[in-house]
């Protein structure tokens, strides 16, 4: 079992609890749309390409809609059960830890009473390694330097620059911020004008 497996299980349990029409942090998506996206990503790589390659976006949407139209218990079961033939499934935490963590939180944090989960050394170590590798992509548009710092002092440079804005928070919060979610508990340290630029940044990977 890895982080991706744990987050997949927790997400499907939450799906069953909140139902298909529950809100998410993904603009325009309810829980049903998010579940369909995860199934498409894993089981239909031909259609998943359209997420990044806009000329194929129509095909991607049609396939995703076909999954979203399935009965909710069937759709949740497709999310719950990894496809043994899928390269994405076989990649384990490398391809899936961040994906399932972020989307699990997209459902959790769309609820008004959400709170960050407690730190978990194993989970957070996996997520930190992935975050450190993708931070420069997430903050590539920043006009000022950005450093991500954990409470224990470990840090990674997301955007090189003099007098960078330092974002401090638990790994989970830094990851959600990097993925463009405003529902993230982070502290900003830097010049007020620079902090404003980072707060308003169109970030994400």
């Amino acid at each position: 079992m890895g982080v991706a497996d744990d987050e997949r299980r927790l997400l499907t349990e939450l799906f069953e609890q909140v139902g298909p029409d529950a809100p998410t942090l993904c603009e325009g998506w309810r829980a049903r749309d998010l579940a369909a996206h995860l199934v498409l990503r894993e089981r239909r790589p031909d259609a998943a390409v359209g997420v990044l390659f806009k000329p194929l976006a129509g095909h991607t949407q049609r396939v995703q809609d076909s999954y979203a139209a399935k009965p909710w218990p069937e759709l949740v079961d497709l999310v719950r059960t990894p496809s043994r033939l899928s390269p994405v499934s076989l990649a384990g935490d490398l391809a899936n830890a961040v994906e399932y963590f972020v989307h699990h939180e997209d459902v959790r944090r769309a609820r008004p009473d959400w709170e960050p989960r407690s730190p978990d050394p194993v989970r957070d170590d996996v997520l930190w390694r992935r975050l450190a590798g993708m931070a420069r992509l997430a903050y590539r548009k920043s006009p000022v330097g950005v450093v991500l710092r954990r409470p224990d002092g470990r840090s990674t440079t997301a955007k090189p620059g003099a007098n960078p804005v330092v974002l401090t928070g638990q790994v989970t919060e830094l990851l959600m911020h990097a993925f463009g979610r405003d529902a993230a508990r982070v502290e900003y340290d830097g010049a007020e004008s620079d902090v404003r630029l980072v707060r308003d940044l169109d970030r994400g990977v």
Side-chain angles (χ1 to χ4, degrees), residues 20 32 36 39 63-76 78:
R32 180 184 297 279
V39 174
V63 175
Q64 182 166 309
D65 288 346
S66 71
Y67 281 121
K70 291 181 178 295
W72 182 237
E74 181 180 343
L75 181 57
V76 172
L78 286 171

Side-chain angles (χ1 to χ4, degrees), residues 11-79:
L11 175 57
T12 54
E13 290 173 358
L14 185 56
F15 275 154
E16 291 176 329
Q17 177 185 343
V18 302
D21 296 320
T24 78
L25 296 184
C26 301
E27 185 176 358
W29 281 5
R30 294 285 174 168
R32 180 184 297 279
D33 304 298
L34 180 51
H37 160 76
L38 289 168
V39 174
L40 176 146
R41 174 181 177 271
E42 186 166 276
R43 297 172 182 267
R44 289 291 304 272
D46 63 302
V49 172
V51 174
L52 297 175
F53 187 56
K54 296 307 179 185
L56 295 179
H59 174 55
T60 298
Q61 190 62 55
R62 285 190 294 273
V63 175
Q64 182 166 309
D65 288 346
S66 71
Y67 281 121
K70 291 181 178 295
W72 182 237
E74 181 180 343
L75 181 57
V76 172
D77 196 53
L78 286 171
V79 177

Side-chain angles (χ1 to χ4, degrees), residues 80-148:
R80 178 185 292 111
T81 310
S83 170
R84 297 181 181 275
L85 301 178
S86 168
V88 173
S89 296
L90 296 174
D93 280 351
L94 182 63
N96 298 302
V98 167
E99 180 80 8
Y100 277 93
F101 175 83
V102 169
H103 285 322
H104 178 199
E105 292 298 310
D106 282 336
V107 181
R108 285 187 73 250
R109 300 184 187 213
R111 309 170 80 185
D113 58 347
W114 77 271
E115 289 291 335
R117 284 188 274 169
S118 299
D120 178 291
V122 174
R123 179 198 68 207
D124 293 350
D125 183 58
V126 170
L127 295 179
W128 177 250
R129 291 199 304 269
R130 300 294 296 132
L131 174 59
M134 64 179 60
R136 292 201 177 197
L137 179 61
Y139 294 92
R140 65 193 181 280
K141 297 179 182 178
S142 176
V144 299
V146 179
V147 170
L148 308 181

